[in-house]
Amino acid sequence: LAIALNKTVGALKQEKNKTENILANMSEGVIAVDHDGRILFSNPAVEQTLGAICGPILEGTSIKSIGCPELAHVMAQVLQHQESQSNELELNDGKTSLITHIAPILLPGEPASGAVAVLEDITELKQLEQLRRDFVANVSHELRTPLTAIQGFVEALLDDVASDPKQYLEVIHGETMRLKSLINDILELSLLQSGPVDWDLNAVDVADLFSRVLFKLSKEIRAKDLTVKENISPELPPLLANEDYVEQVLINLLSNAIRYSPTKSTISLSASSEAKNITVTVKDQGPGISAEELPHIWERFYRVDKSRSRALGGTGLGLAIAQEIIKAHGGQIDVSSDVGRGSAGRVNQKA
């Protein structure tokens, strides 16, 4: 009998440990209360989800004492009506969203002895959904603008009311090229964000990279009579990167500097190395970006001065694409700015 009892107790302990391990390693929070609303059990995920928002989760204390009235109210309803409920709760002034599945603990022929709740944090999912909605809305708006212009000028040509058909066709061509550029940027950004990119990395000579980019943007530089000062540290090692994509990053940064630089101002283009890393900096003398706007410049279609930015050209995706390219290379990109004195974009990448 003692041997049989010992085996039974051992089996029960094993099952208890198994259950505790399962609950402890669940990503969803699990919390149980008795019929008076006192906490019987909670796993670590509950502490991670609610602890920082509401307060410490202590066994034996009332569910009302943790500072989460929304959850306490739903728990009380389940205990009162003895029926399962599923709800979406907004906590922390709407900054945290939870899906709760709460069921009463029932024994045959007896009232509920408590309730158990499973909490799923869907904050990140809701944020991603909001980003998706914002992206669709922004794309629709950005596509509508050139399409509306093209439609208006085409209708004028069809109705024979165009005073200068060539000028109308030039506008249509410009809007078509802008539309093409926008679509290409959207596809490029989608490719970069779809998953790991397997690129061919090679040694890129920074001096040659600067020369190619400056040659490609020479027309825009001359149009505003800008001076570009290059400063490359002596014996600078080559940059380990995909040549085409790192060139695209530099073109994006330099294009922004040209776009917002005053006429006859100076743009500084420099490269230096430290601890096997190369830092490339593009600095302009433009209007700068306020501290409030600076964290948002990496967002898709974000424009500091929306009307002015659109008039100057660009799709609003250049910095977002540049950030994704540098992240895929394992590097860092940031922008600092001094309002009224200019901005500086920096790329830090392994040599």
Side-chain angles (χ1 to χ4, degrees):
L1 181 61
I3 292 171
L5 183 61
N6 192 39
K7 287 182 179 179
T8 303
V9 171
L12 289 173
K13 283 183 178 179
Q14 188 175 0
E15 288 299 318
K16 178 176 179 293
N17 290 335
K18 187 188 297 183
T19 303
E20 288 179 349
N21 283 330
I22 291 172
L23 291 172
N25 290 289
M26 285 179 62
S27 58
E28 295 84 4
V30 179
I31 184 169
V33 299
D34 63 13
H35 62 282
D36 291 324
R38 289 189 297 267
I39 298 173
L40 298 174
F41 169 83
S42 65
N43 68 347
V46 171
E47 185 70 34
Q48 293 173 3
T49 304
L50 296 180
I53 302 170
C54 304
I57 314 297
L58 303 175
E59 293 184 13
T61 59
S62 172
I63 188 71
K64 296 179 181 178
S65 68
I66 67 173
C68 186
E70 299 88 351
L71 179 61
H73 175 69
V74 179
M75 282 282 209
Q77 284 189 326
V78 170
L79 289 171
Q80 180 182 352
H81 301 292
Q82 300 187 17
E83 293 180 354
S84 300
Q85 287 193 27
S86 294
N87 299 277
E88 182 177 332
L89 303 182
E90 298 287 340
L91 309 178
N92 197 21
D93 296 327
K95 296 177 183 176
T96 304
S97 300
L98 298 178
I99 292 271
T100 63
H101 304 283
I102 306 175
I105 302 172
L106 296 173
L107 296 175
E110 295 183 14
S113 60
V116 61
V118 177
L119 314 177
E120 183 180 359
D121 191 345
I122 59 168
T123 305
E124 188 175 346
L125 289 175
K126 292 199 74 173
Q127 290 173 347
L128 289 172
E129 178 64 19
Q130 187 60 45
L131 283 174
R132 186 190 66 81
R133 290 176 182 173
D134 292 344
F135 180 67
V136 171
N138 286 329
V139 168
S140 302
H141 177 73
E142 295 292 336
L143 290 175
R144 184 177 61 185
T145 303
L147 285 174
T148 301
I150 291 170
Q151 180 185 359
F153 283 102
V154 168
E155 287 175 352
L157 289 170
L158 290 173
D159 294 339
D160 253 348
V161 296
S163 56
D164 186 354
K166 183 180 178 182
Q167 186 179 10
Y168 278 49
L169 289 173
E170 287 176 351
V171 173
I172 292 171
H173 179 263
E175 292 296 331
T176 304
M177 295 304 294
R178 179 182 164 195
L179 196 60
K180 179 182 176 182
S181 178
L182 177 62
I183 293 171
N184 287 338
D185 281 353
I186 292 171
L187 292 175
E188 184 73 35
L189 188 59
S190 177
L191 175 65
L192 290 168
Q193 294 180 332
S194 62
V197 184
D198 186 17
W199 287 334
D200 291 329
L201 302 181
N202 44 56
V204 180
D205 185 270
V206 176
D208 289 345
L209 177 66
F210 282 7
S211 298
R212 290 198 306 273
V213 171
L214 288 172
F215 177 75
K216 290 182 179 180
L217 297 176
S218 57
K219 181 180 178 181
E220 290 84 351
I221 293 170
R222 287 196 303 270
K224 298 187 75 171
D225 196 13
L226 300 173
T227 300
V228 179
K229 291 185 177 180
E230 295 183 67
N231 182 15
I232 301 177
S233 297
E235 299 182 2
L236 187 74
L239 184 68
L240 182 63
N242 180 282
E243 193 164 358
D244 293 334
Y245 277 99
V246 79
E247 181 178 314
Q248 184 180 350
V249 171
L250 187 57
I251 286 175
N252 284 343
L253 292 177
L254 190 55
S255 294
N256 278 342
I258 295 169
R259 191 175 294 124
Y260 294 103
S261 288
T263 305
K264 297 184 179 181
S265 62
T266 300
I267 294 175
S268 300
L269 197 57
S270 62
S272 59
S273 64
E274 183 179 356
K276 297 184 179 180
N277 283 344
I278 293 179
T279 301
V280 174
T281 305
V282 181
K283 187 174 182 180
D284 62 51
Q285 296 176 332
I289 306 167
S290 67
E292 294 78 16
E293 302 276 1
L294 204 55
H296 302 288
I297 62 174
W298 309 106
E299 297 174 9
R300 294 167 293 188
F301 298 111
Y302 188 82
R303 300 174 190 268
V304 176
D305 185 344
K306 296 175 176 57
S307 58
R308 189 166 179 265
S309 298
R310 188 170 283 110
L312 291 172
T315 62
L317 292 172
L319 287 179
I321 291 173
Q323 185 184 50
E324 292 296 328
I325 291 173
I326 297 302
K327 280 169 60 179
H329 277 85
Q332 294 179 334
I333 182 171
D334 66 88
V335 172
S336 60
S337 185
D338 190 358
V339 176
R341 301 183 66 181
S343 304
R346 294 181 186 84
V347 174
N348 189 273
Q349 180 68 36
K350 290 182 180 179

